[in-house]
Amino acid sequence: MDSKAERRLKAIQGHLLLNSIIESTSQLQTNETSGEFVHGQGYSVVLPEKLQTGKWNVYRSARSPLKLVSRFPDHPEIGTLHDNFVHAVETFQDHKYLGTRIRVDGTVGEYKWMTYGEAGTARTSVGSGLLYHGIPKGASIGLYFINRPEWIIVDHACSAYSFISVPLYDTLGPDASKFIVNHAVIQAIFCVPQTLNTMLTFLSEIPSVRLIVVVGGLDEHMPSLPSSTGVEVISYSKLLRQGRSNLQAFCPPQPEDVATICYTSGTTGTPKGAVLTHGNFIANVAGSSNAVRFFPSDVYISYLPLAHIYERANQVLVAYSGTAVGFYQGDNLKLMDDMAALRPTIFCSVPRLYNRIYAGITNAVKTSGGLRERLFNAAYNSKKQAILNGKKSSPMWDRLVFNKIKEKLGGRVRYMVSGASPLSSDVMDFLRVCFGCVVLEGYGMTETSCVISSMDEGDMVSGHVGSPNPACEIKLVDVPEMNYTFEDKPYPRGEICVRGPIIFRGYFKDEVQTREVLDEDGWLHTGDIGLWFTGGRLKIIDRKKNIFKLAQGEYIAPEKVENVYAKCKFVLQVFVYGDSLNSSLVAVVCVDPEVLKAWATSEGIKYEDLGQLCNDPRARAAVLADMDAIGRDAQLRGFEFVKAVTLVLEPFTLENGLLTPTFKVSFRISTKVK
């Protein structure tokens, strides 16, 4: 044991009494002589950052308080993504792995599956094919298409042959994609016919590219480029054939080698490339798998962008666990249809979709008529009370009410996981009751290889993001200009800082921005403001930069306000804005057309089209009144209430630039609020 570990062990010896069943209960018992240092409910334990200061403000998971996790406890030999997939292929050879819906006579049918063994064979062919084309070990490989089996296979090939995978968001637009290709010096790009057409428009501006592989394209449809371009375009199936005919041995990476450069768009400026190693991924997933366990019997639906770290890390856990992955068709509007066909057991999503599910169910209940509404409310209240008391509710309520709701997601979901932005407490409680499954929320970022903290499966308290991933430690640093300090009562507050084997290497070719977030002691400064809640739970309460000041000096955290208003029945999406020249907030609301039409009918309002209805002052007043009621229920402060709204029909999407690729509302919205 190194001297630092020994010092820490001595420092807390006598202060902690580990419960013999800590693994199953995630709890610590307090030693009577040192209760101040241990949280009674035991989701986190507090360790000294520097013993000589006497300030005990570094928190670790109660699951692994003395040592940060860096490998899977059951398989410490897995140190890289390549090791992880080799383990998967050897262990789950004939299990279903990658599934897509097949079209029969133009109609989308059932899922067709590729096994782990078949995916392993394809991975070898792809990697061998790249070497056949002269792409050297360590080269950057671009992936320029949305979720489908080939994305996963190419990523596995990159790991097996020591290439660096670089996701290209197909919705970032040509300028950002062009920037990433040149910045990462990408030599080969995998794309689909649609993104190929985009690339061909700026081919002369991406000189590093030597090979373009078209997934889903036919050999006879491949464009023949002049030899002067130095670029060859081939189909994915041709690359597979070439690889099979010229098989090459793996070139396995080391844990410290770069696995990917994951570009984050942020909300403004050019993309930043987060450099993540194989060891980063394995540590993060090994740590977070303590809280969420997948099994070979599970079925996972993949629809969140694979270019986003949330989905990427999930896929590492999927492979480790031998879980089957079914891909959506590529259309979010058809996601529920895909869920019904796939019947997944694990559903990882973002609050934006969970809010829509919540609004859809509550609106249907309100319009269902008196008796049905009363039955739902009785069932809901009874089941919620049972859950909060740690008891099982009467199965009668499921038979009468909730089984029909569960079928909307296929009827088998056992885990619902939320990330990317905060999920409100009442939506989380609602999902737990209606779907009868474990609902967890996590917090993370690209720079930490995904999960920083996550809820414990047995924790029924909502409104927080759980305790530290066992692969990292967390401290809160004072932000005096915002009046947040670790000394705050009753709960310590400050900027969330993270350290451990999950922390990225830095931003690619950008030492200045790396130094802005990564200090000399290895702490990553997230820019998020946190609070240590009871039981060592972390709560996100603010954003260091994403705040603005109103004319009277009040600070506004817009995401917090948006999450409250997202529960309004009229609201599909909402963007809240204010500035220091004005004393009140305004909002752009993307309305639910069905709810708006139903309201107009009930009010006897005539209109030619929905656009006209959106501009009707009565409609704006009705939406604002409903938002006010929601705001009062959530106890918003007076200056946090929106005073004017503009109603729009066009959703905020990646395609129109109103959402970032991580599903956050973009600051580029320029709609004039009336």
Side-chain angles (χ1 to χ4, degrees):
M1 187 183 291
D2 65 7
S3 58
K4 182 186 285 188
E6 283 180 338
R7 287 201 310 272
R8 286 197 164 183
L9 186 57
K10 286 176 183 174
I12 63 173
Q13 217 161 24
H15 294 306
L16 296 180
L17 177 64
L18 285 170
N19 188 327
S20 62
I21 52 171
I22 186 172
E23 285 301 319
S24 60
T25 64
S26 302
Q27 292 186 335
L28 291 175
Q29 294 180 337
T30 57
N31 182 319
E32 291 178 2
T33 63
S34 57
E36 80 179 280
F37 298 121
V38 183
H39 287 285
Q41 294 182 47
Y43 294 107
S44 301
V45 296
V46 193
L47 298 173
E49 178 192 5
K50 294 176 180 173
L51 295 179
Q52 62 269 30
T53 66
K55 187 175 181 180
W56 293 57
N57 65 344
V58 176
Y59 286 57
R60 285 187 179 181
S61 168
R63 293 175 180 272
S64 187
L66 302 182
K67 183 182 179 184
L68 295 181
V69 170
S70 60
R71 300 281 180 100
F72 293 104
D74 296 342
H75 290 279
E77 75 281 3
I78 296 176
T80 66
L81 297 178
H82 173 59
D83 295 338
N84 191 51
F85 191 53
V86 167
H87 158 77
V89 172
E90 290 175 350
T91 312
F92 311 109
Q93 179 85 20
D94 299 317
H95 286 61
K96 290 191 299 188
Y97 181 27
L98 306 174
T100 49
R101 297 186 73 178
I102 52 174
R103 289 187 176 271
V104 181
D105 299 328
T107 305
V108 178
E110 294 303 307
Y111 275 84
K112 182 181 179 182
W113 294 91
M114 172 185 278
T115 66
Y116 273 88
E118 289 165 344
T121 301
R123 165 267 321 246
T124 305
S125 299
V126 168
S128 298
L130 289 172
L131 291 176
Y132 171 78
H133 281 274
I135 307 298
K137 174 183 174 180
S140 292
I141 310 295
L143 293 98
Y144 197 14
F145 54 100
I146 64 171
N147 304 26
R148 55 188 290 168
E150 292 86 353
W151 208 110
I152 302 292
I153 290 167
V154 171
D155 198 35
H156 287 317
C158 288
S159 296
Y161 290 89
S162 290
F163 299 119
I164 298 170
S165 63
V166 183
L168 294 163
Y169 298 114
D170 66 317
T171 48
L172 272 186
D175 289 342
S177 297
K178 186 166 52 179
F179 171 84
I180 293 170
V181 172
N182 288 325
H183 193 251
V185 197
I186 289 173
Q187 296 192 35
I189 296 180
F190 288 78
C191 64
V192 289
Q194 301 93 305
T195 47
L196 171 66
N197 294 333
T198 302
M199 261 194 307
L200 292 177
T201 63
F202 57 80
L203 199 59
S204 62
E205 300 172 68
I206 47 174
S208 62
V209 176
R210 298 161 51 187
L211 178 68
I212 296 175
V213 183
V214 184
V215 175
L218 301 174
D219 288 339
E220 58 268 26
H221 293 162
M222 293 299 101
S224 181
L225 302 180
S227 58
S228 58
T229 63
V231 180
E232 187 177 359
V233 181
I234 62 170
S235 69
Y236 178 79
S237 53
K238 184 175 181 179
L239 182 77
L240 284 176
R241 292 195 301 270
Q242 291 171 334
R244 276 197 297 268
S245 302
N246 300 274
L247 289 177
Q248 301 290 315
F250 296 140
C251 308
Q254 295 300 310
E256 62 273 15
D257 290 342
V258 178
T260 189
I261 304 174
C262 200
Y263 282 82
T264 60
S265 67
T267 47
T268 56
T270 54
K272 295 181 294 188
V275 179
L276 297 169
T277 67
H278 288 267
N280 288 154
F281 272 108
I282 296 302
N284 195 295
V285 175
S288 55
S289 65
N290 268 307
V292 178
R293 289 190 179 272
F294 295 0
F295 298 100
S297 55
D298 278 317
V299 179
Y300 176 99
I301 185 158
S302 177
Y303 93 96
L304 294 171
L306 271 163
H308 183 195
I309 196 67
Y310 182 12
E311 181 69 5
R312 197 86 174 275
N314 285 342
Q315 291 299 328
V316 179
L317 181 54
V318 158
Y320 176 75
S321 311
T323 298
V325 183
F327 293 87
Y328 81 135
Q329 295 174 59
D331 183 346
N332 283 343
L333 297 177
K334 296 176 181 173
L335 180 61
M336 293 304 167
D337 182 50
D338 293 334
M339 296 273 283
L342 183 65
R343 302 185 66 231
T345 60
I346 297 165
F347 184 41
C348 293
S349 191
V350 292
R352 192 166 60 96
L353 183 64
Y354 289 133
N355 289 337
R356 288 190 65 177
I357 292 171
Y358 169 88
I361 295 171
T362 53
N363 196 45
V365 168
K366 285 175 184 173
T367 57
S368 64
L371 184 60
R372 286 184 177 177
E373 186 176 358
R374 286 199 299 274
L375 176 63
F376 178 87
N377 289 337
Y380 182 84
N381 292 331
S382 174
K383 191 172 178 182
K384 181 179 178 181
Q385 204 57 45
I387 290 172
L388 290 175
N389 292 330
K391 298 177 181 176
K392 284 196 171 183
S393 69
S394 168
M396 173 185 70
W397 297 127
D398 285 338
R399 286 198 301 271
L400 287 175
V401 177
F402 299 115
N403 285 346
K404 294 170 191 169
I405 295 173
K406 289 180 193 175
E407 286 302 321
K408 300 285 184 188
L409 300 182
R412 295 196 304 176
V413 172
R414 69 181 188 88
Y415 270 136
M416 296 175 89
V417 183
S418 183
S421 61
L423 181 69
S424 69
S425 299
D426 46 356
V427 172
M428 174 176 280
D429 294 340
F430 187 86
L431 295 172
R432 281 175 173 159
V433 172
C434 290
F435 292 97
C437 64
V438 175
V439 183
L440 302 175
E441 185 172 9
Y443 160 63
M445 55 198 299
T446 306
E447 290 83 350
T448 60
S449 324
C450 198
V451 180
I452 293 171
S453 70
S454 60
M455 294 178 67
D456 190 281
E457 189 172 323
D459 189 0
M460 290 297 114
V461 176
S462 51
H464 62 92
V465 292
S467 56
N469 182 339
C472 72
E473 53 192 7
I474 299 174
K475 69 174 179 177
L476 302 184
V477 172
D478 296 351
V479 186
E481 68 271 23
M482 296 176 72
N483 296 318
Y484 293 128
T485 78
F486 190 77
E487 316 301 333
D488 289 344
K489 304 294 182 187
Y491 305 117
R493 302 186 299 178
E495 182 184 6
I496 298 167
C497 295
V498 189
R499 183 168 67 179
I502 67 173
I503 303 300
F504 77 145
R505 276 241 191 113
Y507 296 115
F508 191 55
K509 297 178 182 175
D510 198 334
E511 191 60 35
V512 173
Q513 290 204 75
T514 299
R515 283 200 303 268
E516 285 178 6
V517 298
L518 207 53
D519 69 26
E520 58 188 14
D521 292 324
W523 289 100
L524 177 81
H525 294 248
T526 66
D528 292 312
I529 305 297
L531 167 154
W532 284 118
F533 192 49
T534 55
R537 302 170 174 100
L538 183 65
K539 194 178 177 101
I540 312 296
I541 58 171
D542 212 335
R543 176 80 187 147
K544 196 173 176 183
K545 291 181 180 175
N546 187 19
I547 59 172
F548 49 74
K549 191 188 288 187
L550 295 178
Q552 307 300 324
E554 304 97 339
Y555 283 101
I556 299 292
E559 285 184 12
K560 169 200 165 186
V561 179
E562 287 165 359
N563 283 325
V564 169
Y565 286 136
K567 288 175 288 193
C568 168
K569 66 182 179 185
F570 288 99
V571 173
L572 282 182
Q573 293 164 293
V574 59
F575 171 73
V576 170
Y577 183 72
D579 59 40
S580 58
L581 301 177
N582 293 283
S583 58
S584 57
L585 297 176
V586 293
V588 179
V589 173
C590 172
V591 291
D592 186 323
E594 298 307 316
V595 176
L596 192 64
K597 284 190 284 189
W599 168 83
T601 302
S602 69
E603 295 292 319
I605 294 173
K606 306 292 183 187
Y607 57 94
E608 292 180 11
D609 56 51
L610 282 175
Q612 181 193 22
L613 188 56
C614 283
N615 289 321
D616 191 313
R618 291 170 293 181
R620 290 203 295 269
V623 172
L624 197 55
D626 198 49
M627 290 171 67
D628 283 346
I630 296 288
R632 285 192 296 274
D633 287 345
Q635 299 182 320
L636 288 181
R637 293 171 292 181
F639 56 83
E640 292 177 314
F641 279 82
V642 162
K643 301 300 183 187
V645 294
T646 280
L647 309 183
V648 297
L649 292 170
E650 183 184 6
F652 309 160
T653 66
L654 296 165
E655 288 75 13
N656 62 20
L658 302 184
L659 278 186
T660 72
T662 53
F663 295 114
K664 295 181 175 68
V665 177
S666 169
F667 294 157
R668 294 195 298 273
I669 290 181
S670 57
T671 310
K672 184 180 178 184
V673 178
K674 299 176 182 175

